[in-house]
Amino acid sequence: MTVSVFDLFSVGVGPSSSHTVGPMTAGADFADLVRTHGKLDDVASLVVDLYGSLAATGRGHGTFPAVLLGLEGHRPETITPQTIDTRSAEIEQGNPLRFGGDGPQVHLRVADLVLHPLTFLPRHSNGMRFRALDKNGNVLVERYSYSIGGGFVVHDDEDTSAITLDECEVPYDYSTAAELMDHCERSGLSVAEIAWANECASRSEEEVREGLLHLAAVMQECKDNSLTRTGVLPGGLGTRRRAPQWYERLCTIDPHRDIRYWVEWVNLVALAVNEENASGGRVVTAPTNGAAGIIPAVLFYATHYSDRAATLMNDHGYSFSDRREGMDDVVCEFLLAAGAIGSVIKEQSSISGAEVGCQGEVGSASSMAAAGLTQVMGGSPKQVMTAAEIAMEHHLGLTCDPVGGLVQVPCIERNAIAAVKAVNASRMALIDGDGASIVSLDNVVKTMKKTGADMSEKYKETALGGLAVTIVEC
């Protein structure tokens, strides 16, 4: 089933879509479930168990306060960073949380959460169990939930159909790149146009366009906010914010956006977005928080350099379509094509670092960004697929081993490197014409999933291996 671009790209808070956004959503969903059962006013206490990666790295990812705030009814798309800081501090000082927002007061602090870092539930490594108890200690409602990456949450008592395109009939349903390519060939539409038609099956054209532009605006706001903040990132590593200083230097050496400095600007945008994410700021999951800087960085390239890049390549004998109906159209086209590729990846594999390693987060985002850029550069559907395949292929095996369980080292720099890879993958696909790649996008996505399954749990967001251990030992 086709996954909506508005599910792959959603507004939330940092630092992690799977460890912050997902757990907060799961907590709020549980409060709604208890309310639906008519048991809200009977609740005297709550018990929360966190399993696997959520327990192992939850402290550095903001998981624990996120769960508590979710149980208060807060949701990541509407809560502000200020509310997170204020309410988290109040709860830790002993103030009760208001279950469901308007339900009974319940005393539950971070220290009360039950952690099982070495226990991995069969369905997913990011598992949670919520229990609402009455005054006699009897269980009123119980639910197991799983944060499966990108802010998506599934529950044991529900299927996963909620993550498809609003469960409506779409004109071009697809789960694989081959099916998407077949739709393009039969209809004569581009990848972005296929995605547009599917989104308009459940929303008006105006709503789709406004929604896409809103996502881009939040990405821009996230980057701009980061450029004004100095000092060090929270969490104890003492990671210095570099984006403001880099920005000041770039503005001095390149005030007119010379194309010679495109790498530096792409690096800056990725760095800025991920520094803001690491501090718990508002961010767009793209498709995850840990990889949130890649698509904004490559979108920056598309809106600032793609015309000049196309001209430069034409001067060297390469001919590309250069159609432009305004910058907003470029933004929408980019996000639609990126979302279409993200749907293929989500359906066939995973975007969860705790499930398949960072190849599922940064690799997926780089693949999506390469597709979006190739689309707005006038690439054919085959070239879009090739660019996505190249970018994903060269992230296979990438581990998720954040130091201190924080989305800082190596995550921030990794986003910058992956954004530049995406631009390069797009260039390679465009220069190569319509030549078919030896490895298909579907094959590389399936390989990513198998590689993740073969990968040791130490390297999948558990803080038990890789850099997470090496830095501590040093």
Side-chain angles (χ1 to χ4, degrees):
M1 294 292 292
T2 307
V3 182
S4 171
V5 66
F6 296 110
D7 287 325
L8 286 162
F9 300 127
S10 59
V11 178
V13 291
S16 172
S17 49
S18 61
H19 286 57
T20 316
V21 174
M24 186 182 293
T25 299
D29 286 351
F30 181 68
D32 288 346
L33 178 68
V34 175
R35 188 192 310 274
T36 300
H37 286 329
K39 303 289 187 179
L40 190 66
D41 293 334
D42 298 327
V43 175
S45 62
L46 297 166
V47 179
V48 179
D49 295 82
L50 301 178
Y51 298 89
S53 180
L54 293 180
T57 64
R59 190 169 301 279
H61 284 68
T63 303
F64 307 152
V67 167
L68 300 180
L69 293 170
L71 291 170
E72 275 204 321
H74 295 289
R75 292 193 175 271
E77 59 268 24
T78 54
I79 195 172
T80 65
Q82 293 75 19
T83 298
I84 293 174
D85 292 341
T86 301
R87 284 300 295 141
S88 295
E90 290 173 349
I91 291 171
E92 286 308 291
Q93 290 166 5
N95 291 308
L97 62 84
R98 177 73 73 176
F99 186 43
D102 58 356
Q105 292 186 339
V106 177
H107 287 277
L108 185 69
R109 297 187 301 169
V110 166
D112 300 318
L113 302 177
V114 184
L115 307 181
H116 309 272
L118 300 180
T119 302
F120 296 86
L121 300 181
R123 188 165 182 181
H124 197 279
S125 55
N126 288 336
M128 295 162 273
R129 179 174 66 167
F130 297 93
R131 285 178 288 172
L133 281 61
D134 65 17
K135 62 182 180 180
N136 296 316
N138 299 312
V139 176
L140 297 169
V141 182
E142 179 182 53
R143 169 185 267 181
Y144 282 88
S145 299
Y146 308 88
S147 179
I148 63 173
F152 292 105
V153 174
V154 295
H155 311 292
D156 264 352
D157 53 337
E158 296 178 355
D159 61 28
T160 60
S161 62
I163 66 173
T164 60
L165 195 61
D166 293 333
E167 299 185 7
C168 70
E169 282 193 28
V170 295
Y172 304 104
D173 190 24
Y174 60 89
S175 297
T176 68
E179 291 171 349
L180 174 57
M181 188 67 198
D182 184 62
H183 286 313
C184 291
E185 291 177 343
R186 289 175 179 272
S187 66
L189 299 176
S190 70
V191 171
E193 288 168 336
I194 292 289
W196 170 265
N198 284 344
E199 296 297 338
C200 290
S202 59
R203 299 172 176 86
S204 70
E205 291 188 0
E206 292 76 12
E207 288 174 325
V208 175
R209 184 178 175 84
E210 288 175 5
L212 293 169
L213 295 178
H214 173 65
L215 291 171
V218 175
M219 292 179 184
Q220 173 79 18
E221 179 184 87
C222 180
K223 183 262 292 181
D224 291 345
N225 287 340
S226 184
L227 297 180
T228 66
R229 306 189 201 282
T230 57
V232 299
L233 294 170
L237 281 183
T239 306
R240 178 174 57 88
R241 287 181 177 268
R242 289 174 287 177
Q245 188 178 40
W246 281 28
Y247 178 63
E248 185 177 343
R249 288 179 179 174
L250 271 176
C251 286
T252 299
I253 65 175
D254 181 33
H256 304 299
R257 301 289 194 275
D258 191 305
I259 196 168
R260 291 177 298 172
Y261 295 98
W262 73 264
V263 173
E264 285 78 6
W265 284 103
V266 168
N267 282 336
L268 171 66
V269 175
L271 195 82
V273 170
N274 274 81
E275 287 183 351
E276 186 67 6
N277 174 65
S279 66
R282 183 166 297 284
V283 67
V284 175
T285 62
T288 67
N289 283 37
I294 298 167
I295 284 174
V298 180
L299 181 57
F300 179 90
Y301 178 90
T303 55
H304 287 76
Y305 294 105
S306 58
D307 283 331
R308 279 174 282 176
T311 300
L312 184 66
M313 296 169 99
N314 282 331
D315 290 342
H316 286 78
Y318 302 111
S319 177
F320 303 114
S321 158
D322 187 27
R323 54 190 173 85
R324 291 290 182 271
E325 298 87 21
M327 202 57 70
D328 286 353
D329 291 331
V330 173
V331 169
C332 292
E333 197 173 348
F334 182 103
L335 293 177
L336 287 165
I341 299 305
S343 178
V344 168
I345 297 171
K346 183 75 176 64
E347 281 296 284
Q348 295 190 84
S349 184
S350 173
I351 56 173
S352 168
E355 188 173 13
V356 295
C358 198
Q359 58 175 354
E361 295 200 35
V362 163
S364 295
S366 185
S367 181
M368 293 164 65
L373 179 59
T374 305
Q375 175 71 59
V376 301
M377 288 286 285
S380 67
K382 185 177 293 185
Q383 289 172 321
V384 169
M385 304 291 180
T386 299
E389 181 276 323
I390 293 171
M392 176 60 78
E393 178 182 335
H394 295 287
H395 284 92
L396 290 177
L398 190 61
T399 59
C400 185
D401 50 353
V403 176
L406 300 166
V407 190
Q408 297 179 20
V409 180
C411 317
I412 294 173
E413 289 180 353
R414 185 171 285 173
N415 272 251
I417 298 297
V420 175
K421 276 189 180 181
V423 176
N424 199 35
S426 175
R427 288 180 162 193
M428 292 175 71
L430 288 166
I431 288 175
D432 198 34
D434 268 344
S437 57
I438 295 176
V439 179
S440 71
L441 177 57
D442 285 330
N443 282 339
V444 79
V445 170
K446 292 174 183 175
T447 301
M448 187 262 279
K449 182 177 182 179
K450 187 177 186 303
T451 302
D454 293 339
M455 190 182 293
S456 168
E457 295 296 337
K458 294 190 300 183
Y459 304 113
K460 293 192 283 189
E461 214 165 357
T462 58
L464 296 175
L467 288 176
V469 174
T470 303
I471 300 298
V472 173
E473 289 177 348
C474 294

